[in-house]
Amino acid sequence: MGAVKSKRMPRAVREQQMMDAAVRTFGQRGYRAASMDEIAELAGVSKPLVYLYLNSKEELFTACIQREAKALVAAVRSGVEPELPADRQLWAGLRAFFTHTAKNPDGWAVLHRQARTHGEPFATEVMVMRDEIVAFVTGLIGAAAREAHRDPALPDRDVAGLAQALVGAAESLAGWANDTPGVSAKEAAATLMNFAWAGLENLMHGRPWLPPSQLAGQR
Amino acid sequence: MGAVKSKRMPRAVREQQMMDAAVRTFGQRGYRAASMDEIAELAGVSKPLVYLYLNSKEELFTACIQREAKALVAAVRSGVEPELPADRQLWAGLRAFFTHTAKNPDGWAVLHRQARTHGEPFATEVMVMRDEIVAFVTGLIGAAAREAHRDPALPDRDVAGLAQALVGAAESLAGWANDTPGVSAKEAAATLMNFAWAGLENLMHGRPWLPPSQLAGQR
Amino acid sequence: MGAVKSKRMPRAVREQQMMDAAVRTFGQRGYRAASMDEIAELAGVSKPLVYLYLNSKEELFTACIQREAKALVAAVRSGVEPELPADRQLWAGLRAFFTHTAKNPDGWAVLHRQARTHGEPFATEVMVMRDEIVAFVTGLIGAAAREAHRDPALPDRDVAGLAQALVGAAESLAGWANDTPGVSAKEAAATLMNFAWAGLENLMHGRPWLPPSQLAGQR
Amino acid sequence: MGAVKSKRMPRAVREQQMMDAAVRTFGQRGYRAASMDEIAELAGVSKPLVYLYLNSKEELFTACIQREAKALVAAVRSGVEPELPADRQLWAGLRAFFTHTAKNPDGWAVLHRQARTHGEPFATEVMVMRDEIVAFVTGLIGAAAREAHRDPALPDRDVAGLAQALVGAAESLAGWANDTPGVSAKEAAATLMNFAWAGLENLMHGRPWLPPSQLAGQR
DNA sequence: TATGAATGAGCATTCATTCAT
DNA sequence: CATGAATGAATGCTCATTCAT
């Protein structure tokens, strides 16, 4: 199960082993509670080698964040076919997302829990990736709205808020699916589609929910 | 700006000062990175006094979690009138929630980010509170479904998933509203209602979104 | 069993309560490990009062040593009748000694274990008392030697060494008797008399044990 | 006087240096009063290195106790020739004992004063060694009793008490010899043999000292 | 007489980080 | 390429001691 301990491996391989160990340790213990000793031991190398390759705890953590972020974005992207209608794209993206986070719980913990918890400069790293995903979702919602021939279009600001809500719900459900035995990636995706898409459709077709004070005039 | 440094205060007062400082420090730095020295200094007292009153870092953190959880639940409760229809109850609850988290960003950070990130025994404390809120939302969705004379009723399991998604989205939007200048509590609440309620209504009236493979037969 | 907690007691009484608590705590925990908090609590008073009456931990410990030393010497003295022959005086003294140490294990622990373990200035306090007892025993041995019409007399230096050995053996047996269930004061005293007196008699009558190198000429 | 401060020594050597420093510090100050800072400084290393090699203050103290106990037992053992008659074995053992304690006053203080004073788990460590020595002495007394064709034999319980007294006297004399200038190991051993052996011989030949109440019938 | 409130100083322990080989 | 040896700088926690009432 553990990596076979062998000497003289190429640098790239060793680096990946170290980062595997680091992601696991950071994901489970958190940034502060993870010790370089533990990471080095788990990676099967000496501590100075970790420093030789990755310079410092901070850089190591940053490298982990970047690697995991890249992997997550790649997974979502590779699940989506841009030709399909918006809801099927979203459905595919969510399934890829929940599948990836379920298969990489430590990586997901690093991105979602640890990186955002331990302040600058780590939070920024994740924000870049998150914004990329938010932009993708924003694009989908906009496209759907256009498909629905909605006129006037949903204000950009509203679209942004909805995308944030959707991505937030997805993040939260990912944690829930990982922590709740018996919840599959597909089920989590379906729950979210049910929760979100029908609501989005109503919006797109000009049937928003309105606060009570505005009920009189508009509903 | 800071409280006037005065000596010899009754224990109850000092304890609140210490916990204020602790919530702020824990919320911003995280459990591990926060030092008792910093907390004591921010509270304007010496470290031994913090230990005399609050015993240990762990107990102090737990006390913070409990105080903030109680305050949040109380805020949401006091915003809701149980006589109103389900959507207006939810609307009121969300406004109270976003208002409270906006006014207590550090308390919210302690509950949402730090407590859940730093493992047992802290996570459990928050779970109790969170489950209470999830149960409240679950009740609302169930009530709404009954009001809509839905038959057959939404399966319990689906309701649970939806409640999780809604609460998760709310938690995420709270962070977003806190971090994005110009987003008011009311706006966040409206975004979430729009996102969630219309979708819930579709579900309640038996119009779920269905994955592509089932489209042929069911839609 | 514990002291009844009542306010406004005369100083002398309070002081004794504090010293009782202190002797017990010092005896069981040791000088360093005993905390003023624990002593004050055990005495049923507040810490500042302990300081008001006894000034400092060091003075408190010294006071304990002196009180217990006085009590021990008084106990031994009161058990001895100076008219009796030397062996019966010693026998009476030893019984009184073992009886007292058995009834005051904490006091004895303070004197024998703690005071001598924690360096100056405490060791000196005990030495004064110990030397008094050694002098008493030295006197007895000398008297016995004269009774035996020993001529030439035992050299003073030998007598001193023997007294040291006897007192040391007594101290050690006191600990042994306290720690070994079922060993009475009388039994400990008898063991020591058997061990010591017969040997002393041989010496007094000019039949010393001699090291091997001197055997040829003297035995 | 002090060892030349040199860096980069093999672990085994450094460990001995640390334990030398620890024995000295613990012996003079006591377990609680000794600080790891002081030990590290005396050993000429930094504190983390002490922890790296010896894990904790408690383990360090235990390691000291075990090292010193082993050394003391080895010293006594190597001084004894099992072929000799009992009194000469005892004489040889005592000389070895007093010689060793005189050469290692701090080690002896650790074993005799500090370890037994500071409760579990340290006291147990010393007890093991002490019981070994008591057993050795018990064996000698028993052998001597048989050599003396004593019949009926001395009861086991009496032999045990005598061995305790002898070992206790030896321990006490070791402290006395260390603290009293001009008392050699040989002298201390001779004093104890004089004090003890002649008395033992009386016992072995059936001439015990009896308490006054029993004099009438038995002497 | 008696105490609740408060602290300066110290201690065991840990950790990220660097040399010398 | 790889590591055993080593440390400066915190950090959680405790304790003897004092002050204001």
Side-chain angles (χ1 to χ4, degrees):
Chain A
M1 192 69 54
V4 175
K5 190 163 180 175
S6 66
K7 308 259 158 180
R8 304 266 154 197
M9 319 192 40
R11 169 161 182 162
V13 177
R14 273 272 199 264
E15 266 183 1
Q16 288 310 310
Q17 288 178 348
M18 291 175 194
M19 289 185 53
D20 290 344
V23 165
R24 192 157 147 199
T25 309
F26 285 136
Q28 286 173 2
R29 298 240 191 289
Y31 176 63
R32 297 286 302 220
S35 85
M36 296 298 271
D37 272 291
E38 191 180 356
I39 292 171
E41 182 172 270
L42 190 59
V45 298
S46 70
K47 237 188 322 176
L49 197 59
V50 179
Y51 278 88
L52 186 62
Y53 285 176
L54 290 145
N55 303 318
S56 74
K57 195 186 189 183
E58 203 170 315
E59 278 190 39
L60 172 56
F61 191 45
T62 304
C64 290
I65 293 171
Q66 284 169 345
R67 189 183 84 169
E68 295 304 315
K70 218 176 221 168
L72 175 57
V73 169
V76 172
R77 262 200 224 296
S78 83
V80 172
E81 291 191 44
E83 314 305 324
L84 297 178
D87 71 329
R88 299 200 48 183
Q89 277 194 54
L90 185 57
W91 164 246
L94 286 176
R95 276 209 300 175
F97 174 78
F98 286 118
T99 303
H100 184 85
T101 54
K103 270 202 284 204
N104 296 281
D106 292 324
W108 173 243
V110 164
L111 290 178
H112 179 55
R113 239 197 298 267
Q114 306 305 345
R116 308 178 80 181
T117 301
H118 292 99
E120 294 302 332
F122 310 123
T124 313
E125 294 290 335
V126 194
M127 271 309 148
V128 171
M129 171 208 68
R130 196 179 194 267
D131 286 348
E132 195 169 338
I133 293 188
V134 169
F136 167 66
V137 174
T138 305
L140 285 188
I141 297 176
R146 278 189 299 282
E147 279 171 22
H149 303 291
R150 197 183 181 288
D151 191 48
L154 271 178
D156 278 1
R157 166 150 196 171
D158 289 12
V159 174
L162 293 170
Q164 285 286 353
L166 206 166
V167 170
E171 290 168 343
S172 175
L173 279 177
W176 175 67
N178 272 358
D179 297 345
T180 310
V183 176
S184 69
K186 198 172 168 182
E187 197 171 337
T191 296
L192 186 48
M193 283 304 284
N194 260 320
F195 180 68
W197 193 253
L200 290 175
E201 273 197 329
N202 271 358
L203 284 179
M204 290 169 211
H205 293 89
R207 303 188 298 265
W209 179 94
L210 291 178
S213 59
Q214 300 170 32
L215 273 183
Q218 294 208 244
R219 209 179 201 183
Chain B
M1 184 91 27
V4 175
K5 185 161 179 177
S6 64
K7 306 255 157 177
R8 303 262 147 193
M9 335 224 344
R11 172 165 179 159
V13 176
R14 273 278 193 258
E15 267 182 3
Q16 288 311 310
Q17 291 178 344
M18 290 174 194
M19 287 185 53
D20 291 345
V23 166
R24 194 157 148 202
T25 310
F26 283 135
Q28 285 172 3
R29 298 239 191 290
Y31 176 65
R32 298 283 303 225
S35 89
M36 294 298 271
D37 273 294
E38 189 180 358
I39 292 171
E41 181 170 302
L42 189 59
V45 297
S46 69
K47 223 180 347 167
L49 200 60
V50 179
Y51 278 90
L52 188 63
Y53 287 172
L54 290 145
N55 304 319
S56 72
K57 194 183 189 183
E58 199 169 318
E59 276 191 42
L60 172 56
F61 192 44
T62 304
C64 289
I65 293 171
Q66 284 169 345
R67 189 183 81 169
E68 296 305 315
K70 222 177 211 166
L72 176 56
V73 168
V76 172
R77 274 236 173 74
S78 82
V80 171
E81 292 192 43
E83 314 303 324
L84 299 178
D87 69 329
R88 299 201 46 185
Q89 278 194 53
L90 185 58
W91 164 246
L94 286 176
R95 275 209 302 176
F97 174 78
F98 287 118
T99 303
H100 184 86
T101 54
K103 269 202 287 210
N104 295 283
D106 293 323
W108 173 244
V110 164
L111 291 177
H112 179 55
R113 241 197 293 271
Q114 307 304 346
R116 305 179 82 182
T117 301
H118 290 98
E120 294 303 332
F122 310 126
T124 312
E125 297 288 336
V126 194
M127 270 308 147
V128 172
M129 174 210 65
R130 193 181 196 266
D131 286 347
E132 197 170 336
I133 294 188
V134 169
F136 169 65
V137 173
T138 305
L140 285 188
I141 297 177
R146 277 189 299 283
E147 280 171 21
H149 303 292
R150 195 184 182 287
D151 190 50
L154 270 179
D156 279 1
R157 166 149 196 173
D158 288 12
V159 174
L162 293 169
Q164 286 284 353
L166 205 167
V167 171
E171 290 169 343
S172 176
L173 279 176
W176 173 67
N178 273 357
D179 297 346
T180 310
V183 176
S184 69
K186 197 171 170 184
E187 200 168 347
T191 297
L192 186 47
M193 282 305 284
N194 262 321
F195 179 66
W197 196 254
L200 289 174
E201 274 196 329
N202 271 358
L203 284 179
M204 289 169 210
H205 292 89
R207 300 188 302 263
W209 179 93
L210 291 177
S213 59
Q214 298 171 33
L215 273 182
Q218 294 207 247
R219 207 179 202 183
Chain C
M1 191 74 48
V4 175
K5 188 163 181 175
S6 65
K7 308 258 155 179
R8 305 264 153 198
M9 319 194 39
R11 169 160 184 161
V13 177
R14 273 271 197 265
E15 266 183 0
Q16 288 310 310
Q17 288 178 349
M18 291 176 195
M19 289 183 55
D20 290 345
V23 166
R24 193 156 145 201
T25 309
F26 284 135
Q28 285 172 2
R29 298 241 189 289
Y31 176 64
R32 296 287 300 223
S35 85
M36 295 299 271
D37 272 292
E38 191 180 357
I39 292 170
E41 181 172 270
L42 190 60
V45 298
S46 70
K47 237 187 322 175
L49 198 60
V50 179
Y51 278 88
L52 187 63
Y53 285 176
L54 290 145
N55 303 317
S56 75
K57 194 185 189 185
E58 202 169 316
E59 277 189 39
L60 172 56
F61 192 44
T62 304
C64 289
I65 294 171
Q66 284 169 345
R67 188 183 85 169
E68 295 304 315
K70 218 176 220 169
L72 175 57
V73 168
V76 171
R77 261 200 225 295
S78 83
V80 171
E81 292 191 44
E83 315 304 323
L84 298 178
D87 71 330
R88 298 198 50 182
Q89 278 194 53
L90 184 57
W91 164 246
L94 286 176
R95 275 210 300 176
F97 173 79
F98 286 119
T99 302
H100 183 85
T101 55
K103 269 202 284 205
N104 297 282
D106 293 324
W108 173 243
V110 165
L111 291 177
H112 179 54
R113 238 198 296 268
Q114 306 305 345
R116 307 179 81 182
T117 301
H118 291 99
E120 294 302 331
F122 311 123
T124 314
E125 295 289 335
V126 195
M127 270 309 148
V128 171
M129 171 209 68
R130 195 179 195 268
D131 286 348
E132 195 171 337
I133 294 187
V134 169
F136 168 67
V137 174
T138 306
L140 285 187
I141 297 176
R146 278 189 299 283
E147 279 172 22
H149 304 292
R150 195 183 184 289
D151 192 49
L154 272 179
D156 278 0
R157 166 148 196 172
D158 288 12
V159 173
L162 293 169
Q164 286 285 354
L166 205 167
V167 170
E171 289 168 344
S172 175
L173 279 177
W176 175 67
N178 272 358
D179 296 346
T180 310
V183 175
S184 69
K186 196 171 170 184
E187 198 171 338
T191 297
L192 185 47
M193 283 304 286
N194 260 321
F195 179 68
W197 192 254
L200 289 174
E201 273 197 329
N202 270 357
L203 284 179
M204 290 169 211
H205 292 89
R207 304 188 297 267
W209 179 94
L210 292 178
S213 60
Q214 298 169 33
L215 273 182
Q218 294 207 247
R219 210 183 200 180
Chain D
M1 182 97 23
V4 175
K5 185 163 180 175
S6 63
K7 308 252 156 178
R8 304 260 147 194
M9 334 222 344
R11 171 164 180 161
V13 176
R14 273 279 194 256
E15 266 182 3
Q16 288 310 310
Q17 291 177 345
M18 290 175 193
M19 288 186 52
D20 291 345
V23 166
R24 193 156 148 201
T25 309
F26 283 135
Q28 285 171 3
R29 298 241 190 288
Y31 177 64
R32 298 283 303 224
S35 89
M36 295 298 271
D37 272 295
E38 190 180 358
I39 293 171
E41 179 170 302
L42 189 59
V45 297
S46 69
K47 230 187 332 173
L49 200 60
V50 179
Y51 278 88
L52 188 63
Y53 287 172
L54 290 145
N55 304 318
S56 73
K57 195 183 188 184
E58 199 168 319
E59 276 191 42
L60 173 56
F61 192 43
T62 304
C64 290
I65 292 171
Q66 284 169 345
R67 189 183 83 170
E68 295 305 315
K70 221 176 213 169
L72 175 57
V73 169
V76 172
R77 274 236 173 73
S78 82
V80 171
E81 292 193 43
E83 314 303 325
L84 298 178
D87 71 328
R88 299 204 43 189
Q89 278 193 54
L90 185 57
W91 164 246
L94 287 176
R95 275 210 301 177
F97 174 78
F98 287 117
T99 303
H100 184 85
T101 55
K103 268 201 288 208
N104 296 282
D106 293 323
W108 173 243
V110 164
L111 290 178
H112 179 56
R113 241 197 294 269
Q114 307 303 348
R116 305 179 83 180
T117 300
H118 290 98
E120 294 302 333
F122 310 125
T124 313
E125 296 288 336
V126 195
M127 270 308 147
V128 171
M129 174 209 68
R130 193 179 196 267
D131 286 347
E132 197 170 336
I133 294 188
V134 169
F136 168 66
V137 173
T138 305
L140 285 188
I141 296 177
R146 278 189 298 282
E147 279 173 20
H149 302 292
R150 198 186 180 285
D151 191 50
L154 270 180
D156 278 0
R157 167 151 195 171
D158 288 13
V159 174
L162 293 169
Q164 285 285 354
L166 205 167
V167 170
E171 290 169 343
S172 175
L173 279 177
W176 173 67
N178 273 355
D179 297 345
T180 310
V183 176
S184 69
K186 196 171 171 183
E187 201 168 347
T191 297
L192 185 48
M193 283 304 284
N194 261 322
F195 179 68
W197 194 254
L200 289 174
E201 273 197 326
N202 270 357
L203 284 178
M204 289 171 211
H205 292 90
R207 300 186 302 262
W209 179 93
L210 290 178
S213 61
Q214 298 171 32
L215 274 181
Q218 294 208 246
R219 206 180 200 181

